[in-house]
Structure formats: C-alpha cells, structure tokens
Amino acid sequence: MTTQQVWKKYADDVKHFILSRVKDTTVTDDLLQETFIKVHTKLHTLNDITKLKSWIFTIARNTMMDYFKNTNQTVELKNFEVQTDIKEHEHTEKDCLRGILQSLPKKYRNPLFLSDIKGLKQQEVADTLQQNLPTTKSQIQRARKLIAQGFIDCCGFSLNEEGKLVGEIQDKEDCKVCK
C-alpha cells in the first residue's frame, strides 16, 4: 500500500481524532501532516498490513503527546486512548510495559509512578518518599532508562540517533518479558 492510498483511506479519521484532542484546526493540520510524514518514512517497516490502522493512530497519538510535551501543555492520558479494531489476544506495547514495570526495582518504580503516572512534581515525589530531590530525579531518570532498555531487550526495539525508541512490537512468543 502506498502512502497516497493510506492518506485517502485514513486521513479524515486521523484528522478528526487529532482535532478532538487538540481543538485547534491549524495545529491539527500541522500534526496530521507530521503524522503522515512519519507514516511515509516508516510504512515499509510495517510487517502486518492488518495492523495498519492501529499503527497510524499510535503514530498520531505519539505525535500529539510530543506536541503537548514540547509546548508544556498538560493533558489527561485517558483522553488519548484510541478505539480501533484490535483483537483482545493481540500482543501490544502495553503488555510489554506491564512486564517491564513489574520487573523494575521498587526504589525506581515508586518515584516513576508518582511522577509520571500520578503527575506529581519531582519535589513532591521527593517529599512523599522522604528523600532529597537529586536522589528522586536520579531514580526517575534511571527508571525511564530501564524501561527503554526493557523494550530493547523484550521486543527488539532500538534507539535512533535522537535517543528515541523505534521499532515494532514482536510477536508474544518472541518477547522475552511478556511470554
């Protein structure tokens, strides 16, 4: 399938998805374009065409999250759940993440949970855990690195030149953490 065919089939749906979260047509158009640039450059890496729709919406969601992060805007993560036709038994990044998080040492898991899931500021996390701020910051950064390493070890992801995880989720039987 070519990028043009993908655009014709999914662009309107992706645009509505982005607009429903961003609420700004100019930003929506920019994010839609950025999403399809990523689709165009990585379309050849998609092994299973039946996962195309969920793959595109994942790219769109991640593009929006990057936008919100870069503009220092906050958004509730539950608003980013994508409704697609994914089968219940399909192996996903969530399966891997769950296993990776469970394997994190508690001293890294707790600060990460309070910071990245609960949304507490790092100073609040330090106060809650009754430790100093540099220790807390170090533990959160170490936890994030361990998660990235977990995806590399578990599912064969790799880091690109910018230090971001890239790759495709492996089948469950190939996964070292989720088996």
Side-chain angles (χ1 to χ4, degrees):
M1 185 173 259
T2 67
T3 306
Q4 187 174 11
Q5 292 169 320
V6 173
W7 174 268
K8 285 180 183 176
K9 189 168 184 175
Y10 296 110
D12 288 338
D13 292 339
V14 174
K15 184 173 184 172
H16 292 297
F17 171 68
I18 295 171
L19 185 60
S20 72
R21 271 85 175 160
V22 176
K23 311 284 191 236
D24 181 320
T25 56
T26 304
V27 173
T28 297
D29 290 339
D30 290 344
L31 294 176
L32 179 66
Q33 182 178 12
E34 190 176 334
T35 297
F36 274 90
I37 288 171
K38 292 174 184 175
V39 167
H40 176 71
T41 59
K42 296 293 183 183
L43 187 58
H44 69 281
T45 65
L46 184 63
N47 297 328
D48 186 354
I49 198 71
T50 63
K51 298 179 182 178
L52 178 63
K53 184 176 181 179
S54 61
W55 181 71
I56 293 169
F57 276 85
T58 299
I59 292 171
R61 185 191 71 228
N62 291 341
T63 302
M64 284 187 289
M65 293 298 286
D66 289 343
Y67 165 76
F68 284 119
K69 184 170 71 173
N70 293 334
T71 59
N72 291 324
Q73 295 182 35
T74 57
V75 65
E76 285 190 50
L77 290 178
K78 69 178 182 181
N79 292 334
F80 279 88
E81 290 301 316
V82 181
Q83 296 296 324
T84 57
D85 299 321
I86 298 175
K87 298 175 185 132
E88 284 280 329
H89 66 279
E90 190 172 303
H91 184 233
T92 67
E93 290 89 347
K94 287 182 183 179
D95 298 325
C96 293
L97 181 59
R98 195 172 295 116
I100 293 167
L101 287 173
Q102 288 172 351
S103 69
L104 281 179
K106 192 174 182 178
K107 74 176 189 176
Y108 298 130
R109 188 174 50 236
N110 289 344
L112 179 79
F113 177 78
L114 293 171
S115 172
D116 292 1
I117 307 299
K118 289 281 194 172
L120 296 178
K121 295 189 183 318
Q122 290 184 352
Q123 182 62 58
E124 294 172 315
V125 174
D127 294 343
T128 301
L129 298 175
Q130 298 176 340
Q131 59 189 25
N132 62 38
L133 182 59
T135 300
T136 300
K137 287 183 175 188
S138 174
Q139 289 172 337
I140 292 169
Q141 287 305 312
R142 180 71 180 135
R144 290 174 182 161
K145 287 180 182 176
L146 288 171
I147 290 170
Q149 188 61 49
F151 274 104
I152 292 168
D153 295 342
C154 172
C155 298
F157 280 70
S158 61
L159 295 175
N160 66 12
E161 303 83 38
E162 299 165 2
K164 295 186 179 186
L165 278 175
V166 293
E168 292 291 322
I169 198 74
Q170 302 292 322
D171 287 331
K172 189 167 186 160
E173 44 286 346
D174 297 332
C175 190
K176 296 175 188 98
V177 172
C178 308
K179 261 186 167 176

